[in-house]
């Protein structure tokens, strides 16, 4: 019964998911029509004409999604809330990696080091990878550190859940562990490093990821692997809509589906604003 109050808010957020037909209509529409389509949806704020820049689109979309996720979190029991909060720390991880990439692109080593050293817990260990960055001039060392901190937090909170809760999340956790371990190995091999993640992986999933990457060279193999991993876990999220509605799994699943949808909506709107084409997965 501990999840009785969580199920309705999860269902409420799921009810805001756009139909495929509406997304198709949005893709075909011109800018004016697209704004009109969005006006009466979850993304109504994006319909305003004053929303003109990529930064505005990103900020509004993230705020809408984050606010919805926070409302759901408020109804989750303690252990589930801690796990879901660990999952949602991907927002922080993504922002940190974007800032790292920006400073690395500007070749601003001093600023990058200062930024890494200023990061709060649990991201403080990112600064320990600065020496590798300065040696190879590649921010992948730092982004890998961010990923590993995120994964450590996620595993820790996952392990605190009940057996049933962990079982229902296994369709997300096992692909995630397998991909992060494989990605770490590929990056380590690229730089002749001994870094490895001592975690359990799924051999079948690893073969699936390696098969998708084929003979591609670094970093194209990472890009394709990431896309394949994302397809796998998003498939798990879609299947959750037809399963047990009590537990952290359906809450995380609807978070993932809403986040994926938001990426598509934002990309389509930006394409119409700027005449650009984005990869929306």
């Amino acid at each position: 019964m501990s999840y009785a109050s969580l199920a309705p808010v999860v269902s409420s957020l799921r009810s805001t998911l756009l139909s495929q037909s509406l997304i198709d209509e949005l893709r075909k529409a011109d800018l004016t029509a697209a704004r009109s389509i969005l006006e009466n949806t979850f993304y109504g704020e994006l319909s305003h004409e004053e929303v003109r820049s990529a930064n505005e689109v990103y900020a509004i979309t993230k705020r809408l999604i984050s606010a919805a996720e926070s409302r759901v979190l408020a109804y989750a029991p303690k252990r589930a809330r801690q796990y879901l909060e660990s999952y949602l720390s991907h927002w922080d991880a993504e922002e940190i990696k974007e800032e790292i990439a920006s400073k690395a692109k500007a070749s601003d080593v001093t600023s990058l080091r200062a930024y890494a050293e200023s990061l709060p817990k649990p991201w403080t260990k990112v600064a320990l990878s600065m020496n590798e960055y300065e040696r190879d001039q590649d921010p992948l060392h730092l982004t890998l550190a961010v990923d590993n901190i995120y994964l450590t937090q996620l595993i820790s909170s996952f392990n605190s859940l009940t057996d049933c809760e962990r079982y229902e999340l296994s369709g997300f956790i096992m692909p995630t562990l397998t991909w992060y371990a494989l990605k770490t190995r590929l990056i380590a091999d690229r730089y002749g490093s001994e870094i490895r993640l001592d975690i359990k992986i799924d051999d079948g999933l690893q073969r699936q990821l390696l098969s998708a990457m084929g003979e591609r060279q670094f970093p194209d193999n990472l890009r394709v692997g990431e896309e394949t991993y994302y397809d796998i876990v998003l498939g798990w999220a879609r299947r959750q809509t037809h399963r047990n509605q009590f537990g952290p799994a359906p809450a995380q699943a609807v978070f993932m589906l809403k986040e994926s949808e938001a990426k598509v909506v934002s990309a389509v709107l930006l394409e119409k604003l700027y005449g650009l084409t984005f990869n929306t997965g």
Side-chain angles (χ1 to χ4, degrees), residues 1 3-4 25 106 117 128 132 145 151 194 264 280:
M1 293 299 295
Y3 286 98
E25 184 181 351
E117 291 175 349
L128 299 178
E132 287 85 353
L151 187 63
E194 295 300 320
V264 173
T280 57

Side-chain angles (χ1 to χ4, degrees), residues 4-153:
S5 59
L6 179 62
V9 291
V10 170
S11 296
S12 177
L13 180 56
R14 185 180 295 114
S15 72
T16 71
L17 290 168
L18 306 182
S19 67
Q20 186 58 52
S21 61
L22 192 146
I23 291 176
D24 291 342
E25 184 181 351
L26 185 66
R27 291 184 190 278
K28 296 174 184 176
D30 60 19
L31 178 59
T32 301
R35 290 188 187 280
S36 179
I37 291 169
L38 291 174
E39 187 174 5
N40 295 314
T41 71
F42 178 90
Y43 305 98
E45 289 186 45
L46 294 177
S47 67
H48 301 163
E49 290 189 12
E50 60 267 24
V51 179
R52 287 285 173 183
S53 74
N55 286 341
E56 287 177 304
V57 171
Y58 173 77
I60 291 172
T61 304
K62 180 181 176 182
R63 179 171 55 76
L64 290 171
I65 298 296
S66 297
E69 291 171 334
S70 295
R71 285 195 295 273
V72 173
L73 276 183
Y75 290 88
K78 183 177 179 180
R79 281 197 310 263
R81 183 167 64 250
Q82 290 173 338
Y83 169 77
L84 292 170
E85 286 173 342
S86 294
Y87 164 73
L88 291 177
S89 69
H90 76 78
W91 289 112
D92 294 329
E94 289 161 14
E95 287 193 357
I96 291 170
K97 288 191 284 188
E98 286 174 5
E99 187 66 21
I100 287 170
S102 175
K103 292 184 181 301
K105 187 176 181 180
S107 300
D108 191 349
V109 177
T110 301
S111 178
L112 180 51
R113 180 177 284 279
Y115 173 71
E117 291 175 349
S118 72
L119 290 171
K121 292 182 179 180
W123 313 105
T124 50
K125 290 185 179 180
V126 172
L128 299 178
S129 297
M130 276 302 300
N131 290 338
E132 287 85 353
Y133 166 74
E134 292 181 10
R135 182 192 67 209
D136 297 316
Q137 294 297 299
D138 195 323
L140 268 175
H141 293 292
L142 298 171
T143 58
L144 181 61
V146 174
D147 284 346
N148 288 346
I149 292 168
Y150 167 74
L151 187 63
T152 299
Q153 295 291 113

Side-chain angles (χ1 to χ4, degrees), residues 216-255:
R216 292 177 177 84
Q217 299 301 305
F218 191 94
D220 285 344
N221 55 353
L222 289 185
R223 175 183 55 79
V224 173
E226 188 78 42
E227 291 170 355
T228 304
Y229 157 71
Y230 187 68
D231 286 343
I232 291 170
V233 294
L234 204 57
W236 167 82
R238 293 189 183 102
R239 291 191 296 274
Q240 285 298 312
T241 61
H242 306 294
R243 294 184 178 174
N244 176 21
Q245 298 304 300
F246 295 91
Q252 180 181 325
V254 77
F255 290 170

Side-chain angles (χ1 to χ4, degrees), residues 164-175:
C164 180
E165 291 165 338
R166 290 198 300 271
Y167 173 76
E168 291 187 341
L169 285 161
S170 61
F172 166 76
I173 287 292
M174 283 312 299

